[in-house]
Amino acid sequence: MVLLDMEHYTTMQALNINASTFSVLPDYTLALTATSCCMSIFGAIFIIVTYCLLPGIRNFPRKLLLYLTLADILTAFGNLMGTIRYLILKDGEKIANNSGTIFYYASINEVCVIQSFITTFSNMASFFWTVVIAVYMFTAVVHPSQVFKGVKAECVYHLLSWGIPGAITITALALNVLGEENSIGTGSWCWIRSDLEPPVMTSIWMVLAGKGWEIMCYLTTMSLYCLLKLILWRRRMSYFSSLNNELREEDNNFMWVWFVLYLLRIWGTVRFFLNFSAISNNSEHIGKAQFVLLNMQGVGDSGQAFWNFVIFCLFDKSVRKGIAGRCRTRYESVPLISPVTESILDKEIGSHSVLEG
């Protein structure tokens, strides 16, 4: 853990605020997290825009990806909100002796709870939609059927992927467990309060409100996509479209979703287990590793929408050709000379001709 400096600690005592609530992260950690959030917001908007503009890519897996993107953009927005809050909190230390400071910190705490509500819900929803996509891709290849892509199936997907995270998050809010987490399992954003009593309740709620579903997502998606790869290999096929004509060749990119999820999220999972292990408090080397992992988590937990943009937009030739085609059409449809300018030029040319004659 990054410890508070003595001046900061004294200030918190003077204000009767729990000093463990506020830990100090370096500016470059906040900058990395904020940059990753902004890149994800851009990537998510691009995925949504291409889905709206390019009818040729609108199959059922792409619709599921759209729902996943909505969850991921909420996560990126929430983490960015938490990082901005953290920056304001650090600036607020400079006015700690002012009489109005207590009210200032109270407003910051409210922002912390709101942000925690957003990201707790969106992270769980992201895990659920990732699993839904993996399950659908598996069934579409192994047992093609309208049962898994009809209106009823989509309603079930929405009920599970939004409903379960929503119920857990609302319950956590009602029980007052959302709030300042002191970077135990996150970066510069809030999650589950680190001062719950008894202390084991913090661990239980972190598993229930995120980590448990995250590990479930790891295991499920890895298993299903590895089985899909094995099926393609045994049938001597290269693309899912060879087994289901409703899929596109580019839908093979979904095979990378679980791997990218691992690369982005594993840092936070390792930190989670280290923080609640006995050795983490007694090893200087683990403490340094924790700080490196914290920076990696700040980038990874906020970056899923951006890397989905890379996979499903930059690496999708249909999207690349579609966007290039629309840009080319728009460029060709814009006249180099407007009609008004052209008429003025015609008149000037005519007057010059009369004068010369």
Side-chain angles (χ1 to χ4, degrees), residues 285-302:
H285 296 295
I286 290 182
K288 293 179 180 178
Q290 281 272 31
F291 189 69
V292 174
L293 290 171
L294 186 147
N295 283 277
M296 299 294 289
Q297 183 184 5
V299 174
D301 282 15
S302 310

Side-chain angles (χ1 to χ4, degrees), residues 123-249:
N123 274 305
M124 285 190 287
S126 178
F127 300 143
F128 272 88
W129 279 116
T130 302
V131 171
V132 164
I133 292 172
V135 170
Y136 173 76
M137 294 301 295
F138 184 81
T139 55
V141 172
V142 176
H143 184 67
S145 172
Q146 295 298 316
V147 174
F148 298 101
K149 62 169 292 185
V151 175
K152 292 182 179 179
E154 191 172 344
C155 289
V156 172
Y157 297 153
H158 281 289
L159 184 63
L160 293 174
S161 301
W162 301 122
I164 295 177
I168 294 174
T169 309
I170 291 171
T171 302
L173 180 66
L175 295 177
N176 195 30
V177 301
L178 300 178
E180 181 60 60
E181 192 258 2
N182 199 28
S183 300
I184 289 177
T186 66
S188 53
W189 57 93
C190 300
W191 185 24
I192 303 298
R193 285 171 47 197
S194 59
D195 59 347
L196 295 179
E197 293 294 339
V200 70
M201 290 304 297
T202 297
S203 305
I204 292 173
W205 269 105
M206 285 182 176
V207 172
L208 182 62
K211 283 301 169 186
W213 302 110
E214 183 175 346
I215 294 170
M216 176 273 295
C217 180
Y218 289 164
L219 299 176
T220 304
T221 55
M222 179 186 67
S223 301
L224 291 177
Y225 284 123
C226 287
L227 284 174
L228 280 178
K229 191 68 175 177
L230 180 62
I231 290 171
L232 287 177
W233 176 76
R234 291 186 64 180
R235 298 186 185 184
R236 302 294 189 270
M237 301 292 185
S238 299
Y239 301 103
F240 293 152
S241 55
S242 304
L243 301 173
N244 187 332
N245 56 16
E246 294 183 1
L247 300 177
R248 303 180 303 126
E249 287 186 7

